[in-house]
Amino acid sequence: MTNPELISFDSLLENGRSLLESQIIEAQTPEPGRLDLVIGPSDLPQAVQTLVDNHWGYLAAITGLDRPESSEVEALYHFCSGPAVLTLRVRVPYAEPALPTICGVIPSATLYEREFMEMFGVQVTGTPDPQRLFLPDDWPEGVYPLRKSFNPQEKVPQVKPKANGDNAGRYIVPIGPQHPALKEPGHFEFTVNGEIVTGASVRLGYVHRGIEKACEERTWTQAMYLLERVCGICSNSHAYAYVLGVEKLAQVEAPERAQAIRELVAGLERIHSHLLWLGVAAHEAGFDTLFMYSWRDRETVMDLLERLTGNRVNYSANLIGGVKFDVDDEQRRTILAGLDYLEERCRHYLDVVSTDAAFLQRTRGVGTMTREQAELLGVVGPTARASGVDRDIRVEAPYGSYRRFPVSIVIEHAGDLEAKFVVRVKEMLVSISTLRALLDNLPPGELVARVPRRIPAGETISRVEAPRGELFYFIKSSGGDKPERVKVRTPSICNFGSVIHTAVGHQFADMPMLLAGIDPCFSCNDRMIVVRKK
């Protein structure tokens, strides 16, 4: 029988190929559901414009690849449409590393371009914001951390930071990197006219840890434990995305029982993450009672995760090829009892965020983003679904056991902060319902499949729906016992662009709530650090 997903892949990708026929230098199909099209640098803006005009997916990520064997840097522009991924591959030589910007077509691409420029040394001409995004101001020119020639062990010289330009005539209010409204360090600059925001910019990189580069020096298994520490709240999502990608490269499928347990941990993690966010966002709104109650109930799901995995934050549930632990009858009964309690509390919270008059003054009609804006800005997760965009990888490109235990997508259309609260609380209720069905029908079988130590050469893309939205992994193997390249695109960097755009025209007092509304995770984005040795 023909797989219906492959039919969907083929039709979507053939449509994408036909749209760009005149610009294609080379076409490749690295794996089912993917199409790579090599085009010239000068054709890039028009190719992107064609995809956008024909509503072919959204820009999910830009991956950089260093190719020292040919003295080239390759930029991969990944467009996703449901289960299909179309990648525009553009190669530039070391001698003249320059690419045209695509921000005129996709405004949110500026953050991806800024990261690509500073990590790989390719100049993106015409970009509206050429400033650094992650590297510190005293980082020297000509040193690019993700080039193969960069040695993390060598000392990087400090240089005198450049001036930030002329700000005469503008009144700029900074938030961060250390600020009561930010639970992690990030730096935002808001240009204001009185109390109204007229411009905004973001600077990240304050908690970089070098994880992408470090993966290249570790075995496939060691890299899994490293990637699980990209983020504490969605640690399982990172490990999940990574092991799914490695298993695809190895042509290994985890047993059905292991896949179901992965979904169980992912569902509990989603409830944990949304309860944590609910408390933080309520605190930013001055609603500390809701903060205290939601964090009290968060202890319930953390206790369940600890009982199941042995850990309350970094669950370490996954192995390449399966999972580490089983679920016995006693654990099943304990989890079901905890879900009963959490369902009751979530229904109460849904009533609070929808009816409390004081709370609605800070959320209803604030930070509104239309569906058209959300699609143009490429936002993901609850941020997108609150604006009516039905984008959920678990539904549109199901992976693991989501085919057997599907979830229903939660959509709101108002696009304001209230809608973001409602979506996340309803998602907890959906997760509770799905987890009950999963626990009542947990498939029998083994927990781990055998995986070779050396992963066959190839490239793969792995996408999972983390609590904040689509988590995108690009993994490349050269056939050895270590990854050649691991690219991590987290949902937060997709959603930061929406804050920068929706901030304009709002009261400055709304900025902490606008930031909290996307559930930002700074450590997810910041993956490298500079260590100054004496």
Side-chain angles (χ1 to χ4, degrees):
M1 180 180 292
T2 304
N3 188 336
E5 287 185 7
L6 295 182
I7 297 175
S8 178
F9 290 160
D10 291 342
S11 59
L12 282 168
L13 295 175
E14 185 56 39
N15 174 252
R17 184 202 294 262
S18 63
L19 289 173
L20 304 175
E21 193 66 49
S22 63
Q23 297 160 318
I24 299 172
I25 298 173
E26 180 184 351
Q28 305 166 345
T29 306
E31 60 182 345
R34 280 185 58 203
L35 176 64
D36 287 7
L37 303 177
V38 179
I39 64 173
S42 60
D43 290 329
L44 177 63
Q46 183 56 51
V48 172
Q49 184 72 63
T50 300
L51 292 176
V52 171
D53 288 346
N54 288 274
H55 305 286
W56 203 103
Y58 59 96
L59 178 66
I62 299 176
T63 297
L65 290 178
D66 188 15
R67 297 160 54 97
E69 69 281 359
S70 57
S71 298
E72 291 178 317
V73 174
E74 194 169 27
L76 280 59
Y77 295 75
H78 306 288
F79 286 82
C80 297
S81 179
V85 181
L86 187 153
T87 300
L88 303 178
R89 304 183 79 115
V90 188
R91 297 163 184 162
V92 294
Y94 282 171
E96 300 177 9
L99 283 171
T101 184
I102 61 170
C103 288
V105 185
I106 303 175
S108 58
T110 180
L111 297 181
Y112 304 146
E113 291 179 345
R114 288 167 67 184
E115 179 184 18
F116 179 61
M117 280 194 292
E118 61 189 1
M119 296 299 177
F120 287 91
V122 174
Q123 181 64 34
V124 179
T125 58
T127 185
D129 189 356
Q131 297 183 70
R132 287 175 175 172
L133 182 64
F134 291 116
L135 293 181
D137 291 331
D138 60 358
W139 186 272
E141 298 287 346
V143 180
Y144 308 115
L146 288 182
R147 288 255 187 124
K148 294 297 183 183
S149 58
F150 177 74
N151 183 358
Q153 306 302 322
E154 293 182 359
K155 182 179 179 180
V156 177
Q158 291 176 264
V159 298
K160 184 178 180 180
K162 294 181 179 179
N164 287 331
D166 183 15
N167 290 323
R170 297 193 299 159
Y171 193 82
I172 296 176
V173 180
I175 293 183
Q178 304 297 332
H179 191 277
L182 300 174
K183 308 310 176 192
E184 297 176 89
H187 184 69
F188 294 83
E189 289 187 348
F190 294 99
T191 306
V192 297
N193 181 5
E195 288 296 318
I196 304 301
V197 174
T198 59
S201 65
V202 61
R203 180 71 183 272
L204 306 172
Y206 295 92
V207 286
H208 252 45
R209 287 156 294 152
I211 289 178
E212 285 187 11
K213 187 71 174 180
C215 284
E216 299 172 11
E217 302 174 358
R218 285 162 173 77
T219 67
W220 291 97
T221 299
Q222 289 171 334
M224 178 188 69
Y225 290 104
L226 192 64
L227 290 161
E228 192 168 33
R229 283 150 180 82
V230 168
C231 175
I233 305 306
C234 48
S235 61
N236 179 74
S237 297
H238 284 273
Y240 198 175
Y242 175 74
V243 298
L244 284 176
V246 177
E247 287 165 6
K248 280 200 291 183
L249 288 173
Q251 297 184 345
V252 171
E253 187 171 359
E256 285 190 356
R257 189 173 183 88
Q259 293 182 27
I261 292 172
R262 285 175 175 174
E263 183 176 346
L264 172 63
V265 178
L268 291 173
E269 180 182 64
R270 179 174 299 274
I271 298 169
H272 173 203
S273 178
H274 284 356
L275 282 174
L276 182 145
W277 170 84
L278 179 62
V280 170
H283 173 69
E284 300 299 350
F287 199 168
D288 277 352
T289 303
L290 180 56
F291 165 56
M292 296 295 182
Y293 277 118
S294 60
W295 274 45
R296 179 201 64 184
D297 296 334
R298 173 174 163 252
E299 290 293 316
T300 300
V301 71
M302 292 179 76
D303 288 343
L304 294 177
L305 284 161
E306 182 180 20
R307 189 180 184 90
L308 188 62
T309 69
N311 296 287
R312 289 166 63 82
V313 179
N314 279 46
Y315 317 120
S316 195
N318 291 279
L319 294 170
I320 300 175
V323 294
K324 290 182 179 178
F325 54 81
D326 205 350
V327 180
D328 58 32
D329 286 340
E330 183 181 354
Q331 288 173 325
R332 176 182 166 277
R333 288 192 295 270
T334 301
I335 295 171
L336 288 171
L339 294 177
D340 288 342
Y341 171 77
L342 289 168
E343 181 179 22
E344 177 187 349
R345 297 303 302 159
C346 287
R347 294 195 183 282
H348 169 67
Y349 294 141
L350 183 58
D351 180 63
V352 170
V353 301
S354 305
T355 62
D356 185 271
F359 189 66
L360 292 177
Q361 286 181 347
R362 299 298 311 276
T363 60
R364 182 167 290 177
V366 176
T368 300
M369 180 167 49
T370 66
R371 175 176 182 144
E372 292 73 23
Q373 290 173 322
E375 290 179 337
L376 180 63
L377 294 172
V379 296
V380 295
T383 303
R385 295 191 282 274
S387 294
V389 180
D390 52 348
R391 186 172 294 164
D392 189 322
I393 304 303
R394 299 171 298 169
V395 177
E396 59 183 342
Y399 50 92
S401 65
Y402 284 103
R403 298 178 182 88
R404 182 169 183 172
F405 303 104
V407 298
S408 56
I409 190 168
V410 177
I411 299 288
E412 293 289 323
H413 298 278
D416 57 6
L417 283 173
E418 181 192 2
K420 294 180 175 65
F421 277 88
V422 171
V423 164
R424 288 184 174 94
V425 178
K426 285 184 176 180
E427 280 193 1
M428 289 191 280
L429 293 170
V430 168
S431 293
I432 290 168
S433 176
T434 304
L435 294 183
R436 282 203 189 103
L438 187 152
L439 288 166
D440 289 340
N441 299 277
L442 198 61
E446 299 295 323
L447 297 179
V448 186
R450 291 182 61 84
V451 179
R453 185 172 65 88
R454 292 181 176 273
I455 303 300
E459 297 177 358
T460 191
I461 287 173
S462 179
R463 303 155 67 203
V464 304
E465 188 71 19
R468 294 172 177 85
E470 179 196 41
L471 176 60
F472 184 102
Y473 267 62
F474 173 90
I475 305 171
K476 181 178 181 179
S477 171
S478 57
D481 60 355
K482 299 177 182 178
E484 173 75 14
R485 173 83 167 98
V486 178
K487 160 69 178 178
V488 183
R489 198 279 288 137
T490 64
S492 289
I493 199 167
C494 300
N495 295 334
F496 275 131
S498 69
V499 175
I500 302 307
H501 285 81
T502 58
V504 176
H506 278 81
Q507 296 276 341
F508 180 71
D510 290 329
M511 293 307 103
M513 281 294 287
L514 281 181
L515 288 171
I518 66 167
D519 190 9
C521 179
F522 293 88
S523 65
C524 275
N525 293 293
D526 296 351
R527 296 179 297 276
M528 107 1 127
I529 194 168
V530 181
V531 179
R532 304 295 187 193
K533 296 182 179 179
K534 293 184 179 180

